[in-house]
Amino acid sequence: MAKYLVTGAAGFIGRSIAAALLSRGDLARGDSVRGVDSLITGKRANLAGVEAMEFIEGDLADPAVCAKACAGVEVVFHEAALASVPRSVADPVATNRNCVEATLNLLVAARVAGVRRVIYAGSSSVYGDTPTLPKHEAMLPNLISPYAAAKLAGEHYMSAFTRVYGLETVTLRYFNVFGPFQDPASQYSGVLAIFCRKLLAGEQPTIYGDGEQSRDFTFIENVIKANLLAADAPAEKVSGKTMNLATGAAVTLNQAFEILCGLTGYKGKPAYAEPRSGDIRHSLADIGRARDLLGYTPQVDFREGIRRTVEWYRTTRE
Ligand code: UD1
Protein backbone atom coordinates (compact mmCIF):
# COMPACT_ATOMS: atom_id res chain seq x y z
CA MET A 1 0.00 0.00 0.00
CA ALA A 2 1.53 3.31 -1.03
CA LYS A 3 0.37 6.86 -0.96
CA TYR A 4 1.62 9.13 -3.72
CA LEU A 5 1.76 12.92 -3.63
CA VAL A 6 1.91 14.88 -6.87
CA THR A 7 2.78 18.57 -6.52
CA GLY A 8 1.62 20.85 -9.30
CA ALA A 9 -1.22 18.36 -9.76
CA ALA A 10 -3.42 20.85 -11.63
CA GLY A 11 -0.62 21.63 -14.06
CA PHE A 12 0.22 19.88 -17.30
CA ILE A 13 2.89 17.42 -16.12
CA GLY A 14 1.57 16.85 -12.58
CA ARG A 15 -1.93 16.14 -13.83
CA SER A 16 -0.60 13.67 -16.36
CA ILE A 17 1.45 11.78 -13.76
CA ALA A 18 -1.53 11.68 -11.40
CA ALA A 19 -3.74 10.27 -14.16
CA ALA A 20 -1.16 7.58 -14.91
CA LEU A 21 -0.88 6.62 -11.24
CA LEU A 22 -4.64 6.39 -10.94
CA SER A 23 -4.91 4.13 -13.94
CA ARG A 24 -1.98 1.89 -12.98
CA GLY A 25 -4.09 -0.54 -11.09
CA ASP A 26 -2.22 -0.15 -7.81
CA LEU A 27 -5.21 1.65 -6.42
CA ALA A 28 -7.08 -1.59 -6.31
CA ARG A 29 -4.44 -2.75 -3.83
CA GLY A 30 -5.11 0.20 -1.57
CA ASP A 31 -2.73 2.77 -3.02
CA SER A 32 -3.93 6.34 -3.25
CA VAL A 33 -2.98 9.61 -4.91
CA ARG A 34 -3.02 13.09 -3.42
CA GLY A 35 -2.39 16.26 -5.37
CA VAL A 36 -1.49 19.77 -4.31
CA ASP A 37 -1.52 22.92 -6.42
CA SER A 38 -1.56 26.66 -5.73
CA LEU A 39 -3.52 27.25 -8.96
CA ILE A 40 -1.12 30.10 -9.82
CA THR A 41 -0.54 28.49 -13.20
CA GLY A 42 -2.35 25.17 -12.67
CA LYS A 43 -6.01 25.00 -13.70
CA ARG A 44 -8.93 23.46 -11.87
CA ALA A 45 -10.23 22.30 -15.26
CA ASN A 46 -7.21 19.99 -15.51
CA LEU A 47 -8.56 18.01 -12.56
CA ALA A 48 -11.34 16.62 -14.77
CA GLY A 49 -10.59 12.94 -15.19
CA VAL A 50 -8.50 12.67 -12.02
CA GLU A 51 -11.37 12.99 -9.54
CA ALA A 52 -10.15 9.93 -7.67
CA MET A 53 -7.17 12.01 -6.53
CA GLU A 54 -7.51 13.79 -3.19
CA PHE A 55 -6.84 17.47 -4.00
CA ILE A 56 -5.40 20.16 -1.74
CA GLU A 57 -5.39 23.76 -2.96
CA GLY A 58 -2.37 25.42 -1.40
CA ASP A 59 0.99 27.05 -1.92
CA LEU A 60 4.12 25.02 -1.10
CA ALA A 61 5.87 28.24 -0.08
CA ASP A 62 3.68 27.80 3.04
CA PRO A 63 5.23 25.10 5.31
CA ALA A 64 1.80 24.20 6.73
CA VAL A 65 0.59 23.26 3.25
CA CYS A 66 3.68 21.09 2.76
CA ALA A 67 3.07 19.32 6.07
CA LYS A 68 -0.55 18.60 5.20
CA ALA A 69 0.37 17.43 1.71
CA CYS A 70 3.14 15.06 2.89
CA ALA A 71 1.28 13.42 5.79
CA GLY A 72 1.19 9.65 5.31
CA VAL A 73 2.89 9.81 1.89
CA GLU A 74 5.50 7.35 0.64
CA VAL A 75 6.54 8.79 -2.74
CA VAL A 76 6.39 12.42 -3.93
CA PHE A 77 6.45 13.56 -7.57
CA HIS A 78 7.51 17.19 -7.27
CA GLU A 79 6.30 18.88 -10.45
CA ALA A 80 5.16 22.23 -9.01
CA ALA A 81 7.11 25.24 -10.33
CA LEU A 82 6.71 28.51 -12.17
CA ALA A 83 7.92 26.92 -15.37
CA SER A 84 9.15 29.60 -17.72
CA VAL A 85 12.47 31.19 -18.61
CA PRO A 86 11.00 34.59 -19.67
CA ARG A 87 8.73 34.67 -16.62
CA SER A 88 11.81 34.31 -14.41
CA VAL A 89 13.52 37.11 -16.30
CA ALA A 90 10.49 39.35 -15.65
CA ASP A 91 10.06 38.33 -11.98
CA PRO A 92 13.00 36.37 -10.51
CA VAL A 93 11.69 36.69 -6.94
CA ALA A 94 8.43 34.92 -7.79
CA THR A 95 10.39 32.16 -9.53
CA ASN A 96 12.61 31.76 -6.47
CA ARG A 97 9.62 31.59 -4.14
CA ASN A 98 7.73 29.03 -6.19
CA CYS A 99 10.71 26.92 -7.21
CA VAL A 100 13.35 27.20 -4.47
CA GLU A 101 11.45 28.06 -1.26
CA ALA A 102 8.65 25.69 -2.19
CA THR A 103 11.10 22.86 -2.87
CA LEU A 104 12.98 23.35 0.38
CA ASN A 105 9.74 23.51 2.39
CA LEU A 106 8.53 20.37 0.68
CA LEU A 107 11.75 18.48 1.46
CA VAL A 108 11.62 19.52 5.11
CA ALA A 109 8.01 18.36 5.38
CA ALA A 110 8.79 15.15 3.49
CA ARG A 111 11.54 14.30 5.92
CA VAL A 112 9.36 14.99 8.97
CA ALA A 113 6.52 12.92 7.51
CA GLY A 114 8.81 9.96 6.79
CA VAL A 115 8.40 10.11 3.00
CA ARG A 116 10.64 7.48 1.38
CA ARG A 117 11.36 9.08 -2.01
CA VAL A 118 11.03 12.45 -3.76
CA ILE A 119 11.26 12.57 -7.56
CA TYR A 120 12.08 16.07 -8.75
CA ALA A 121 11.30 17.79 -12.03
CA GLY A 122 14.66 19.25 -13.01
CA SER A 123 15.22 21.30 -16.16
CA SER A 124 17.48 21.20 -19.20
CA SER A 125 17.83 24.96 -18.81
CA VAL A 126 20.67 24.33 -16.32
CA TYR A 127 22.97 23.45 -19.25
CA GLY A 128 22.64 26.98 -20.59
CA ASP A 129 24.36 27.88 -23.84
CA THR A 130 27.41 25.63 -23.61
CA PRO A 131 28.23 24.55 -27.19
CA THR A 132 28.76 20.88 -26.26
CA LEU A 133 26.08 18.59 -27.71
CA PRO A 134 24.52 16.36 -26.64
CA LYS A 135 24.25 17.63 -23.05
CA HIS A 136 25.30 15.05 -20.49
CA GLU A 137 24.99 15.12 -16.73
CA ALA A 138 28.73 15.30 -16.05
CA MET A 139 28.87 18.75 -17.67
CA LEU A 140 29.11 21.75 -15.39
CA PRO A 141 25.88 23.75 -15.27
CA ASN A 142 25.99 27.07 -17.07
CA LEU A 143 23.12 29.19 -15.89
CA ILE A 144 21.84 31.99 -18.07
CA SER A 145 18.41 32.61 -16.54
CA PRO A 146 16.96 32.96 -13.04
CA TYR A 147 14.75 29.99 -13.91
CA ALA A 148 17.79 27.78 -14.49
CA ALA A 149 19.33 28.98 -11.23
CA ALA A 150 16.14 28.15 -9.32
CA LYS A 151 15.76 24.70 -10.84
CA LEU A 152 19.41 23.89 -10.15
CA ALA A 153 19.06 25.03 -6.53
CA GLY A 154 16.24 22.50 -6.23
CA GLU A 155 18.49 19.74 -7.57
CA HIS A 156 21.17 20.58 -5.04
CA TYR A 157 18.63 20.50 -2.22
CA MET A 158 17.56 17.05 -3.42
CA SER A 159 21.06 15.59 -3.28
CA ALA A 160 21.86 17.37 0.01
CA PHE A 161 18.76 15.85 1.63
CA THR A 162 19.86 12.43 0.42
CA ARG A 163 23.36 12.94 1.80
CA VAL A 164 22.51 14.37 5.20
CA TYR A 165 19.09 12.91 6.00
CA GLY A 166 18.98 9.74 3.91
CA LEU A 167 15.82 10.85 2.07
CA GLU A 168 15.77 9.08 -1.30
CA THR A 169 15.70 11.63 -4.13
CA VAL A 170 15.85 11.37 -7.91
CA THR A 171 16.18 14.34 -10.28
CA LEU A 172 14.88 14.03 -13.83
CA ARG A 173 16.10 16.91 -15.98
CA TYR A 174 13.20 17.45 -18.36
CA PHE A 175 13.89 18.70 -21.88
CA ASN A 176 11.03 20.79 -23.34
CA VAL A 177 8.06 18.63 -22.47
CA PHE A 178 4.90 18.94 -24.60
CA GLY A 179 1.57 17.21 -25.01
CA PRO A 180 -2.12 17.24 -24.04
CA PHE A 181 -3.10 19.54 -21.16
CA GLN A 182 -0.21 21.98 -21.68
CA ASP A 183 -1.64 25.49 -21.34
CA PRO A 184 -1.49 27.16 -24.76
CA ALA A 185 -2.92 30.50 -23.71
CA SER A 186 -0.26 32.24 -21.64
CA GLN A 187 2.57 34.38 -22.98
CA TYR A 188 4.78 32.03 -20.91
CA SER A 189 3.45 28.82 -22.47
CA GLY A 190 5.75 26.33 -24.19
CA VAL A 191 6.27 27.05 -27.86
CA LEU A 192 4.53 23.94 -29.23
CA ALA A 193 1.39 24.58 -27.19
CA ILE A 194 1.30 28.18 -28.47
CA PHE A 195 1.86 27.10 -32.07
CA CYS A 196 -0.82 24.36 -31.90
CA ARG A 197 -3.41 26.80 -30.62
CA LYS A 198 -2.53 29.54 -33.11
CA LEU A 199 -2.28 27.35 -36.18
CA LEU A 200 -5.56 25.57 -35.41
CA ALA A 201 -7.19 29.00 -35.07
CA GLY A 202 -5.61 30.15 -38.35
CA GLU A 203 -3.48 32.77 -36.54
CA GLN A 204 0.10 33.63 -37.43
CA PRO A 205 2.69 32.40 -34.89
CA THR A 206 5.85 34.33 -34.01
CA ILE A 207 9.28 32.72 -34.07
CA TYR A 208 11.86 34.51 -31.91
CA GLY A 209 15.16 34.55 -33.81
CA ASP A 210 15.73 32.76 -37.13
CA GLY A 211 13.92 29.55 -36.17
CA GLU A 212 17.07 27.48 -36.50
CA GLN A 213 17.33 27.04 -32.73
CA SER A 214 16.61 23.43 -31.80
CA ARG A 215 15.12 21.54 -28.88
CA ASP A 216 14.91 17.95 -27.72
CA PHE A 217 11.12 18.18 -27.50
CA THR A 218 9.87 15.39 -25.23
CA PHE A 219 6.34 14.01 -25.41
CA ILE A 220 4.57 13.79 -22.05
CA GLU A 221 4.12 10.02 -22.20
CA ASN A 222 7.90 9.56 -22.07
CA VAL A 223 8.00 11.75 -18.98
CA ILE A 224 5.26 9.77 -17.26
CA LYS A 225 7.04 6.50 -18.04
CA ALA A 226 10.34 7.74 -16.62
CA ASN A 227 8.67 9.01 -13.44
CA LEU A 228 7.03 5.65 -12.81
CA LEU A 229 10.38 3.92 -13.40
CA ALA A 230 12.07 6.39 -11.03
CA ALA A 231 9.50 5.61 -8.33
CA ASP A 232 10.14 1.88 -8.56
CA ALA A 233 13.91 1.75 -9.20
CA PRO A 234 16.15 0.40 -6.41
CA ALA A 235 17.50 3.13 -4.13
CA GLU A 236 21.10 1.97 -4.44
CA LYS A 237 20.87 2.63 -8.17
CA VAL A 238 19.05 5.94 -8.35
CA SER A 239 18.94 7.75 -5.00
CA GLY A 240 20.71 11.11 -5.02
CA LYS A 241 21.15 10.89 -8.80
CA THR A 242 20.37 13.36 -11.58
CA MET A 243 19.56 12.24 -15.10
CA ASN A 244 18.38 13.75 -18.36
CA LEU A 245 14.86 12.98 -19.48
CA ALA A 246 14.44 13.53 -23.20
CA THR A 247 14.39 11.67 -26.50
CA GLY A 248 17.97 12.15 -27.72
CA ALA A 249 16.79 13.84 -30.96
CA ALA A 250 16.46 17.56 -31.75
CA VAL A 251 14.02 19.45 -33.96
CA THR A 252 14.41 23.08 -35.05
CA LEU A 253 11.54 25.52 -34.61
CA ASN A 254 11.32 25.91 -38.40
CA GLN A 255 10.97 22.12 -38.75
CA ALA A 256 8.36 21.99 -35.98
CA PHE A 257 6.43 24.77 -37.71
CA GLU A 258 6.45 22.88 -41.06
CA ILE A 259 5.25 19.66 -39.41
CA LEU A 260 2.51 21.60 -37.63
CA CYS A 261 1.41 23.20 -40.89
CA GLY A 262 0.99 19.70 -42.34
CA LEU A 263 -1.03 18.55 -39.32
CA THR A 264 -3.24 21.62 -38.96
CA GLY A 265 -3.63 22.72 -42.57
CA TYR A 266 -2.23 26.19 -41.78
CA LYS A 267 -1.04 27.79 -45.03
CA GLY A 268 0.68 30.98 -43.81
CA LYS A 269 4.25 31.82 -42.80
CA PRO A 270 5.48 32.60 -39.29
CA ALA A 271 6.45 36.13 -38.26
CA TYR A 272 10.10 36.38 -37.21
CA ALA A 273 11.01 38.62 -34.25
CA GLU A 274 14.10 39.43 -32.16
CA PRO A 275 15.56 36.46 -30.21
CA ARG A 276 14.33 36.19 -26.63
CA SER A 277 16.57 37.20 -23.73
CA GLY A 278 17.95 34.19 -21.82
CA ASP A 279 17.21 31.93 -24.79
CA ILE A 280 19.39 28.95 -25.64
CA ARG A 281 20.43 28.11 -29.21
CA HIS A 282 20.54 24.31 -29.23
CA SER A 283 19.38 21.77 -26.70
CA LEU A 284 19.84 18.04 -27.17
CA ALA A 285 20.18 15.37 -24.49
CA ASP A 286 22.36 12.37 -23.98
CA ILE A 287 19.85 9.95 -22.44
CA GLY A 288 22.33 7.19 -21.63
CA ARG A 289 22.19 7.67 -17.88
CA ALA A 290 18.38 7.33 -17.65
CA ARG A 291 18.65 4.25 -19.86
CA ASP A 292 21.31 2.68 -17.61
CA LEU A 293 19.78 3.61 -14.25
CA LEU A 294 16.07 3.36 -15.01
CA GLY A 295 15.88 1.20 -18.10
CA TYR A 296 14.25 4.22 -19.79
CA THR A 297 13.81 4.40 -23.55
CA PRO A 298 11.56 6.98 -25.22
CA GLN A 299 8.25 5.37 -26.22
CA VAL A 300 6.86 8.13 -28.43
CA ASP A 301 8.94 10.16 -30.91
CA PHE A 302 8.40 13.81 -31.87
CA ARG A 303 6.25 13.20 -34.94
CA GLU A 304 3.86 10.85 -33.19
CA GLY A 305 3.78 13.04 -30.07
CA ILE A 306 2.99 16.20 -31.98
CA ARG A 307 0.32 14.39 -34.01
CA ARG A 308 -1.43 13.29 -30.81
CA THR A 309 -1.01 16.74 -29.32
CA VAL A 310 -2.61 18.51 -32.29
CA GLU A 311 -5.51 16.06 -32.12
CA TRP A 312 -5.98 16.85 -28.45
CA TYR A 313 -6.01 20.62 -29.00
CA ARG A 314 -8.34 20.16 -31.96
CA THR A 315 -10.90 18.27 -29.90
CA THR A 316 -10.67 20.39 -26.74
CA ARG A 317 -10.69 23.81 -28.46
CA GLU A 318 -13.72 25.89 -27.61
C1 UD1 B 1 13.13 26.14 -21.20
C2 UD1 B 1 13.90 24.87 -20.89
C3 UD1 B 1 12.96 23.76 -20.57
C4 UD1 B 1 12.00 24.19 -19.48
C5 UD1 B 1 11.24 25.40 -19.96
C6 UD1 B 1 10.27 25.92 -18.92
C7 UD1 B 1 15.92 25.06 -22.24
C8 UD1 B 1 16.69 24.50 -23.36
N1 UD1 B 1 14.71 24.50 -22.03
O1 UD1 B 1 12.46 25.95 -22.37
O2 UD1 B 1 13.67 22.62 -20.12
O3 UD1 B 1 11.10 23.16 -19.21
O4 UD1 B 1 12.17 26.43 -20.20
O5 UD1 B 1 9.54 26.95 -19.45
O6 UD1 B 1 16.35 25.95 -21.55
N2 UD1 B 1 9.53 30.61 -29.01
C9 UD1 B 1 9.08 31.19 -30.19
N3 UD1 B 1 7.80 31.64 -30.24
C10 UD1 B 1 6.95 31.58 -29.19
C11 UD1 B 1 7.42 30.99 -27.97
C12 UD1 B 1 8.72 30.52 -27.92
O7 UD1 B 1 9.84 31.28 -31.16
O8 UD1 B 1 5.80 32.02 -29.31
C13 UD1 B 1 10.90 30.06 -28.97
C14 UD1 B 1 11.74 30.51 -27.81
O9 UD1 B 1 12.37 31.74 -28.05
C15 UD1 B 1 12.73 29.34 -27.71
C16 UD1 B 1 11.89 28.14 -28.17
O10 UD1 B 1 10.78 28.66 -28.85
O11 UD1 B 1 13.80 29.53 -28.61
C17 UD1 B 1 11.38 27.31 -27.00
O12 UD1 B 1 10.79 28.17 -26.05
P1 UD1 B 1 9.94 27.63 -24.82
O13 UD1 B 1 8.91 26.67 -25.29
O14 UD1 B 1 9.50 28.80 -24.02
O15 UD1 B 1 10.95 26.74 -24.01
P2 UD1 B 1 12.50 26.98 -23.57
O16 UD1 B 1 12.73 28.37 -23.14
O17 UD1 B 1 13.39 26.35 -24.59
Side-chain angles (χ1 to χ4, degrees):
M1 226 174 93
K3 181 166 234 157
Y4 299 103
L5 170 67
V6 182
T7 74
F12 156 50
I13 299 177
R15 185 259 173 233
S16 305
I17 291 174
L21 289 168
L22 290 172
S23 64
R24 213 156 69 131
D26 302 24
L27 295 183
R29 301 201 309 263
D31 289 359
S32 60
V33 182
R34 180 184 292 154
V36 61
D37 202 297
S38 64
L39 301 180
I40 297 174
T41 55
K43 305 238 174 321
R44 209 171 266 286
N46 286 343
L47 299 173
V50 289
E51 289 83 1
M53 172 178 76
E54 173 196 351
F55 181 68
I56 300 174
E57 181 179 343
D59 190 339
L60 301 175
D62 176 354
V65 171
C66 293
K68 190 173 165 195
C70 286
V73 166
E74 188 190 344
V75 177
V76 177
F77 297 88
H78 182 33
E79 313 303 312
L82 269 192
S84 163
V85 169
R87 188 175 192 131
S88 78
V89 173
D91 189 351
V93 173
T95 295
N96 190 78
R97 178 180 152 89
N98 289 285
C99 295
V100 185
E101 279 180 48
T103 295
L104 178 56
N105 287 340
L106 180 74
L107 283 170
V108 169
R111 180 183 168 230
V112 170
V115 166
R116 182 171 61 78
R117 181 169 298 183
V118 179
I119 299 152
Y120 172 65
S123 167
S124 62
S125 60
V126 301
Y127 291 112
D129 55 1
T130 38
T132 313
L133 288 175
K135 314 287 185 197
H136 58 85
E137 298 86 349
M139 288 167 63
L140 276 183
N142 174 35
L143 312 175
I144 58 171
S145 69
Y147 178 69
K151 291 306 282 185
L152 185 65
E155 283 191 18
H156 288 316
Y157 273 121
M158 291 294 147
S159 52
F161 269 63
T162 297
R163 294 290 289 271
V164 298
Y165 303 123
L167 178 68
E168 294 174 15
T169 65
V170 185
T171 292
L172 303 175
R173 275 187 189 160
Y174 298 167
F175 280 63
N176 293 70
V177 185
F178 72 98
F181 292 96
Q182 190 169 29
D183 177 13
S186 151
Q187 59 170 317
Y188 298 124
S189 294
V191 65
L192 296 178
I194 294 174
F195 280 17
C196 283
R197 182 179 73 84
K198 288 209 161 174
L199 269 51
L200 283 169
E203 292 170 18
Q204 185 183 40
T206 300
I207 290 184
Y208 302 122
D210 61 5
E212 287 306 300
Q213 68 264 51
S214 61
R215 295 290 183 271
D216 193 334
F217 289 113
T218 306
F219 187 59
I220 183 69
E221 242 176 60
N222 300 319
V223 174
I224 293 169
K225 180 87 183 40
N227 272 277
L228 298 180
L229 289 169
D232 294 338
E236 52 288 4
K237 237 179 161 178
V238 299
S239 183
K241 301 272 171 41
T242 292
M243 62 205 88
N244 291 338
L245 179 42
T247 68
V251 175
T252 68
L253 277 195
N254 287 329
Q255 288 168 337
F257 172 78
E258 287 305 323
I259 292 169
L260 281 168
C261 284
L263 291 167
T264 60
Y266 183 76
K267 300 272 185 290
K269 296 274 169 236
Y272 287 90
E274 281 299 298
R276 219 167 57 176
S277 151
D279 220 25
I280 281 159
R281 186 74 179 156
H282 296 297
S283 179
L284 169 68
D286 179 330
I287 54 172
R289 192 184 280 184
R291 188 190 53 225
D292 294 347
L293 298 181
L294 300 180
Y296 163 79
T297 48
Q299 310 279 300
V300 183
D301 67 8
F302 179 76
R303 277 185 182 268
E304 174 59 13
I306 198 69
R307 190 191 65 75
R308 291 195 211 169
T309 305
V310 167
E311 278 320 300
W312 187 82
Y313 285 115
R314 201 195 297 279
T315 51
T316 57
R317 198 156 55 107
E318 279 141 43

